[in-house]
Amino acid sequence: MKKTWRGLMAGLLGISMLLGSLGSVSAAATPKDIQGHWAQKQLQSWLDKGYLGGYPDGTVKPNKAITRGEYVALINRLFGFTETASISFTDVKSTNWVYSEVAKAVKAGYIGGYENNTFRANNPLTRQEAAVIAAKVLKLSTSSTTLKFKDSAQVAAWAKGAVVAAADKKIINGYPDGTFGPKKSLTRAEAVGIISNSVVYKPAGTGGVTPTPAPTATPAPTATPVPSTSPTATPVTGGSGGGGGGGSVTLPSVSNVTYGHVGSVAADVYVTPSVTGAVYYVVAPYSMNVTAPTAAQVKDGLTSAGTAGVHSGTIATTANTTVAFSVYGLSAGTEYTVYVALADNSGNWSGVTPLRLKTAASSSTSLTQVGVTSIGTVTADVYATYGGNTPTPLKYVMVKATEADPTAQQISEGKDSAGVVLTGTFAGPNSTVSPGVKHTFTLTGLTSNTAYKIFFITGSNGNFSPVEILRIQTK
């Protein structure tokens, strides 16, 4: 019951950040994170009129990806959709805040679920999905499928007619470099612009409110978008409305993208994929003014600017089975974004999901580095660097990934969570280490194709550094 209540409150908080108090006409203060933004004028207008809400810290987060659930809530409100349909999506419970919004969207006929009877309300909405929604809501003709964008080949077959129609009416335009970015996650600012442009063509009698159209639907991104080179998802015959409701298509997705333990220089990340394949990830310092990389960039370990991320990698996945991996190379007390994308075994790609986290603050005994040098079938080389001012004990223990985590005291004593003293290379070393020296440890006696967790800690007598966890998978 407590878990359900927490989930409901989290959802209500999320939507309250998106929607303001309808009917407000007083001028709102200009948030710092929209000053100078390409959509500042439109965002400020929505804030003034109460169409859009801000966050408790006074920001609007214009570049944050908007989810499918959040977007249908905005459409329902601005277009006055109030009637509901009976829905039975397996991932939309009646206790979830988005339940009624999805029911309204399905009744209005502008969006559907996926072929496995899921809705994926927490998945980011893509630009091509937004075009499909606009075409359905406004009843646009989608007979023409002739696209003129440089990345037209990346537009899914089920979305081509809608992208043409929406672009022709300047509801959603391409980028200055001539691309459309069909699989790019839609931002809050872009969502405001698209909906504002849509109202010009709003059918009579739909109710809702009528915000002033945006002067242009073409955003000026902080970095030139790079079109995804991922293959177009393969259409599936039958089913209802996948993605934006423009056709049935199998689109890989990830859910439960979250973090567990976060140390000063490493963090545990958890991902549940919808299909069997591989999860790719790249880590970059957090900034509210940075756009998310494309799936192709994530695959290559790059940020949206085309530069290498702080850390990147890939891990094989099984459908609907949560995988865990470590991101490292981080700095203490710093905010990061982990961008995650999934590819199935047929080469189809999901959208990019961002995960924001902040590392623990440093202490007098903190580690400044942990990482993996190499991994074999029964061996692995890992390293750690102590960043304090005086020599201190450095300890690690290694257990299989399925075992419980030991406490800091148990790690310092070379024990597992059951209090059993570990031997061989499963615990060590027994010496004091000097500041600033990188220490490499060769782990032997491992089992092939097995996941392990390595726990590092420095300090003694209860004065310990934050625990750092490294996950490895032998070949």
Side-chain angles (χ1 to χ4, degrees):
M1 181 66 180
K2 289 183 178 179
K3 184 177 180 181
T4 300
W5 177 250
R6 286 197 299 269
L8 178 60
M9 291 306 294
L12 290 174
L13 177 60
I15 197 62
S16 69
M17 297 303 100
L18 181 73
L19 300 176
S21 176
L22 193 62
S24 172
V25 293
S26 59
T30 302
K32 290 183 179 179
D33 65 340
I34 72 169
Q35 293 177 13
H37 193 277
W38 64 265
Q40 178 179 342
K41 183 177 179 180
Q42 193 62 47
L43 289 167
Q44 187 65 52
S45 175
W46 275 44
L47 289 169
D48 292 343
K49 293 180 173 65
Y51 303 157
L52 184 71
Y55 287 79
D57 62 0
T59 63
V60 170
K61 305 189 190 309
N63 297 323
K64 180 180 179 181
I66 193 167
T67 67
R68 283 165 55 85
E70 290 171 337
Y71 195 72
V72 300
L74 273 179
I75 291 289
N76 291 340
R77 187 175 193 187
L78 273 295
F79 280 81
F81 296 132
T82 57
E83 293 185 35
T84 59
S86 176
I87 59 173
S88 58
F89 299 118
T90 58
D91 58 346
V92 181
K93 306 301 182 185
S94 60
T95 53
N96 194 314
W97 69 267
V98 81
Y99 183 88
S100 63
E101 301 298 338
V102 174
K104 294 173 189 175
V106 172
K107 179 66 175 179
Y110 65 80
I111 197 168
Y114 291 82
E115 72 290 334
N116 62 351
N117 198 34
T118 59
F119 185 80
R120 305 173 193 174
N122 294 325
N123 280 18
L125 187 85
T126 65
R127 284 168 55 83
Q128 66 183 0
E129 287 176 333
V132 170
I133 289 175
K136 285 184 173 291
V137 169
L138 301 175
K139 304 185 185 330
L140 303 178
S141 171
T142 58
S143 58
S144 174
T145 57
T146 302
L147 293 164
K148 300 178 181 179
F149 298 106
K150 291 181 180 179
D151 56 349
S152 294
Q154 301 302 316
V155 179
W158 50 264
K160 285 184 177 180
V163 171
V164 171
D168 283 349
K169 293 190 177 297
K170 301 189 183 302
I171 293 170
I172 176 170
N173 289 346
Y175 290 97
D177 66 350
T179 63
F180 183 79
K183 299 178 182 179
K184 185 179 176 65
S185 297
L186 194 73
T187 66
R188 283 163 58 90
E190 288 176 323
V192 167
I194 291 168
I195 296 173
S196 293
N197 291 328
S198 296
V199 299
V200 175
Y201 306 97
K202 185 171 69 172
T206 54
V209 295
T210 306
T212 303
T216 176
T218 303
T222 54
T224 302
V226 179
S228 170
T229 56
S230 309
T232 303
T234 305
V236 177
T237 302
S240 60
S248 297
V249 62
T250 301
L251 293 175
S253 65
V254 292
S255 60
N256 300 321
V257 180
T258 186
Y259 56 83
H261 178 84
V262 179
S264 293
V265 293
D268 256 358
V269 176
Y270 304 92
V271 176
T272 304
S274 65
V275 296
T276 297
V279 160
Y280 294 83
Y281 56 92
V282 63
V283 185
Y286 167 76
S287 173
M288 67 176 64
N289 295 318
V290 172
T291 57
T294 64
Q297 288 176 314
V298 173
K299 179 180 182 294
D300 294 336
L302 303 176
T303 67
S304 60
T307 58
V310 172
H311 179 232
S312 61
T314 182
I315 183 168
T317 61
T318 301
N320 303 313
T321 301
T322 300
V323 294
F325 54 88
S326 294
V327 295
Y328 51 88
L330 314 181
S331 299
T334 304
E335 287 189 276
Y336 290 91
T337 303
V338 183
Y339 297 102
V340 178
L342 168 68
D344 65 19
N345 288 334
S346 298
N348 300 313
W349 283 83
S350 70
V352 176
T353 300
L355 171 66
R356 184 177 168 186
L357 58 84
K358 184 175 182 179
T359 53
S362 61
S363 68
S364 60
T365 56
S366 287
L367 291 164
T368 56
Q369 281 186 327
V370 294
V372 180
T373 303
S374 64
I375 298 177
T377 55
V378 294
T379 62
D381 286 333
V382 299
Y383 61 86
T385 303
Y386 162 60
N389 297 316
T390 58
T392 191
L394 167 63
K395 298 283 290 186
Y396 76 81
V397 297
M398 177 173 59
V399 301
K400 289 186 177 180
T402 53
E403 297 181 30
D405 296 355
T407 64
Q409 185 63 46
Q410 288 173 321
I411 297 169
S412 72
E413 296 171 356
K415 299 177 180 178
D416 63 15
S417 62
V420 177
V421 176
L422 300 174
T423 59
T425 58
F426 282 76
N430 294 314
S431 59
T432 297
V433 295
S434 300
V437 178
K438 183 178 180 179
H439 301 273
T440 299
F441 309 105
T442 298
L443 311 174
T444 60
L446 310 183
T447 303
S448 63
N449 193 29
T450 303
Y452 291 90
K453 294 181 292 188
I454 308 161
F455 302 84
F456 290 95
I457 199 167
T458 61
S460 58
N461 301 320
N463 182 27
F464 301 123
S465 68
V467 175
E468 306 294 344
I469 301 179
L470 273 182
R471 291 179 180 268
I472 62 171
Q473 171 85 36
T474 53
K475 298 178 180 179

